[in-house]
Amino acid sequence: MSQPFRALVVDDEDLYAQAIGREIGRQGIPCDLAYNCREALRMVENQHYGVILLDHRLPDDDGIRIIPQLLTHQPDAALVMMTAYQTIPNAVRAIRQGAEDYIVKEASLAPILERVLELRQRAQLRQAAQSTGDVKCQGLLGRSSAMRLVVDQLSKIAAARDTTLLLTGETGVGKEVACRYLHSLSRPADSPLVVVDCLALPENLAESLLFGHERGAFTGAQESHTGAFEEARDGTVFLDEIGDMELGQGKLLRVLENRSFRRLGSSREIPLKARVVAATNQDLSALVQAGRFRHDLYQRLAVFPIHIPPLRERGDDILLLAEHFRVLYSERLGKPTEPLATEVSQVLLGYAYPGNVRELKNIIERAVILAESPRIELRHLPQRVLALGRKGPLPPAWPLEVVPGVDSLVDVEERMIRQAMNRAGNVRTEAAKLLGISRYQLLRRMQKFGMQAESGKSPAKNP
């Protein structure tokens, strides 16, 4: 049973702490208060917390100094430092000790409340991943607007039983998973889903493998054979990598138009009862222009196109999927593991995933195998992920002037983001790389400062 999301506020200003606790409670989040380090350490031993809001200066100790002790008892908690002293060194110290973020105390409690609600949403994503049992839909798990649109479109086309579907997207985004999900929604439970890899179709056997043949239809055809379209019966035929299909395009078009096909060597028409789903990671319109793909076939396949977005554009879906795969492989390998720690989640959020969901799945499987204890650590991630996903310093050639006693931490943060966006030509993904944070974290900070990206600019060259 999952633990409820609970907050702990540690602050010696009792009226301020009570005000925070009251606002958090109004959002349906249980909240406990501690007024010194001793109370906080006692409370984390006996209660589970999703977020700890920790003041910097406390009467009996330095709040930053006890961060490791708090996280030892609450490894799953997101620790957010609250400070009235806007100094860069203290923020850096807190992050290095394990804090996920810092918040400068203001008259308004809105920034603190907003951060707590974001962290609750992330915790709910993790719990959803741990509780889901629908492995057929694992690559489609997500609450991002892009994935909600995909699932909504699949749900709508499920009612149109004979409509052909074209799935597009990069390698590893989950096109076959989407097909299986649609199949489960729209076809009989016992109907088959037949997968055809168009890239691997032998030239001399392509039509036979798709439509079947009669005995004696060609040299070596000693027995009759049913093809993929006939084997599928009233289920689904999934034509993967349709862009690599060179032979048989004309016959496939005829089958889709007439909703019937013939075995090689036969004149008998067999009704097509299955739905046809095609998928490609290529630009079919470009292949049409190059003369490598029939325009009429492309138009027939693209009656209902659905584009599945790359994982790097899905924000916190990365954590949802990572937790799902962690639970999946923990059970499969018989190795119980804890929810991913904050530092691991941050690195996973910062990586671009050229292999998309398939790559993330392999990363988590590897981490579960390597973990000697229930805790998955950074060293269990592949080096490429650590190199490209870890937060890092700004490039040495990027000067940032700070005026001591004049510039606040908030001023410096806003200036860094504006400089990064300018150097990246307002391309958010590139700006996030320059800052050493994830695109999701950049967007949150841009919203904080009321900043919006402009389009049409190219990244600035390093001097």
Side-chain angles (χ1 to χ4, degrees):
M1 184 176 179
S2 60
Q3 296 277 4
F5 187 84
R6 194 179 190 93
L8 172 63
V9 177
V10 186
D11 196 307
D12 63 329
E13 298 181 39
D14 53 355
L15 293 179
Y16 189 77
Q18 290 166 16
I20 297 175
R22 186 163 53 249
E23 291 301 315
I24 292 175
R26 286 174 178 168
Q27 300 300 319
I29 301 174
C31 185
D32 296 329
L33 306 179
Y35 301 105
N36 54 53
C37 295
R38 185 181 66 258
E39 288 183 3
L41 291 171
R42 175 176 53 80
M43 295 177 80
V44 296
E45 291 180 359
N46 302 306
Q47 184 62 264
H48 180 273
Y49 295 103
V51 61
I52 300 175
L53 300 170
L54 177 64
D55 190 22
H56 173 203
R57 297 192 176 181
L58 294 166
D60 56 345
D61 209 335
D62 180 350
I64 297 178
R65 198 188 69 80
I66 69 164
I67 290 176
Q69 299 176 63
L70 293 171
L71 293 179
T72 297
H73 293 288
Q74 301 285 330
D76 304 337
L79 194 144
V80 178
M81 202 74 199
M82 300 187 300
T83 177
Y85 306 94
Q86 304 179 37
T87 60
I88 296 174
N90 283 337
V92 173
R93 279 182 58 211
I95 297 298
R96 286 178 175 172
Q97 291 282 54
E100 176 160 322
D101 204 351
Y102 72 90
I103 293 180
V104 177
K105 287 184 176 180
E106 301 173 0
S108 171
L109 299 178
I112 293 177
L113 184 61
E114 178 185 355
R115 190 71 178 106
V116 171
L117 293 177
E118 287 178 2
L119 292 168
R120 179 175 67 173
Q121 181 182 28
R122 184 180 299 183
Q124 289 171 342
L125 288 174
R126 291 181 175 181
Q127 290 181 6
Q130 293 176 46
S131 62
T132 182
D134 189 1
V135 179
K136 294 179 296 183
C137 191
Q138 58 186 265
L140 301 181
L141 290 173
R143 299 186 179 180
S144 63
S145 58
M147 287 311 297
R148 287 202 302 268
L149 177 61
V150 169
V151 174
D152 180 62
Q153 289 176 320
L154 289 171
S155 300
K156 288 178 178 177
I157 195 177
R161 292 181 52 83
D162 295 334
T163 300
T164 302
L165 173 65
L166 176 64
L167 296 170
T168 62
E170 298 177 6
T171 298
V173 294
K175 296 186 289 294
E176 183 174 341
V177 175
C179 178
R180 293 187 180 278
Y181 179 63
L182 175 64
H183 177 78
S184 69
L185 290 178
S186 60
R187 316 312 284 190
D190 60 345
S191 64
L193 186 153
V194 179
V195 178
V196 179
D197 184 354
C198 296
L199 181 60
L201 282 175
E203 291 185 11
N204 59 334
L205 294 177
E207 289 191 17
S208 172
L209 292 174
L210 289 174
F211 312 117
H213 64 256
E214 297 291 354
R215 179 180 178 182
F218 52 85
T219 303
Q222 299 179 357
E223 295 181 357
S224 297
H225 171 74
T226 56
F229 280 71
E230 194 171 350
E231 289 177 4
R233 303 196 312 272
D234 56 349
T236 304
V237 177
F238 180 56
L239 301 176
D240 198 14
E241 306 297 352
I242 189 68
D244 293 296
M245 182 181 184
E246 297 182 359
L247 299 178
Q249 291 186 22
K251 191 162 186 178
L252 175 60
L253 173 63
R254 177 186 173 278
V255 170
L256 296 177
E257 291 285 359
N258 298 336
R259 298 294 301 175
S260 66
F261 59 93
R262 300 175 186 173
R263 290 185 181 183
L264 286 177
S266 172
S267 60
R268 183 174 66 92
E269 292 285 337
I270 301 175
L272 175 60
K273 298 179 180 179
R275 185 201 297 274
V276 177
V277 178
T280 181
N281 61 5
Q282 301 184 63
D283 184 349
L284 286 189
S285 60
L287 294 181
V288 170
Q289 293 294 325
R292 294 173 50 197
F293 202 86
R294 291 183 58 139
H295 181 265
D296 47 6
L297 177 58
Y298 169 60
Q299 292 296 327
R300 192 64 185 81
L301 290 173
V303 171
F304 200 107
I306 295 179
H307 180 72
I308 301 179
L311 186 56
R312 62 182 174 274
E313 297 179 1
R314 293 174 54 183
D316 265 358
D317 286 359
I318 293 171
L319 296 184
L320 174 60
L321 286 163
E323 284 295 329
H324 174 80
F325 294 137
R326 179 190 64 78
V327 173
L328 178 68
Y329 286 111
S330 293
E331 294 176 352
R332 186 172 295 178
L333 299 172
K335 294 182 65 176
T337 56
E338 299 172 353
L340 298 173
T342 298
E343 64 270 16
V344 174
S345 296
Q346 288 178 336
V347 170
L348 291 176
L349 279 172
Y351 184 59
Y353 300 98
N356 291 293
V357 178
R358 184 182 299 138
E359 182 179 13
L360 175 61
K361 184 177 181 180
N362 294 338
I363 289 169
I364 300 301
E365 179 182 11
R366 176 184 186 273
V368 173
I369 292 173
L370 292 177
E372 301 90 352
S373 69
R375 184 178 176 86
I376 293 176
E377 301 177 6
L378 289 175
R379 60 192 177 90
H380 300 137
L381 300 180
Q383 193 58 44
R384 70 181 185 281
V385 178
L386 294 174
L388 299 176
R390 187 194 296 271
K391 291 183 179 180
L394 296 175
W398 186 357
L400 182 68
E401 296 182 1
V402 180
V403 181
V406 177
D407 289 325
S408 70
L409 180 59
V410 174
D411 294 331
V412 174
E413 180 184 27
E414 181 177 3
R415 193 180 308 154
M416 289 173 67
I417 292 174
R418 291 190 183 279
Q419 286 189 16
M421 289 296 290
N422 182 58
R423 291 175 65 86
N426 281 310
V427 179
R428 294 173 180 176
T429 302
E430 295 300 322
K433 290 179 182 178
L434 287 174
L435 291 165
I437 61 179
S438 71
R439 185 175 180 274
Y440 170 82
Q441 291 169 319
L442 173 63
L443 291 176
R444 186 170 58 79
R445 283 166 168 79
M446 288 178 66
Q447 291 173 354
K448 172 182 174 182
F449 296 116
M451 298 165 58
Q452 291 185 346
E454 299 176 6
S455 59
K457 295 183 180 181
S458 300
K461 300 290 184 181
N462 286 336

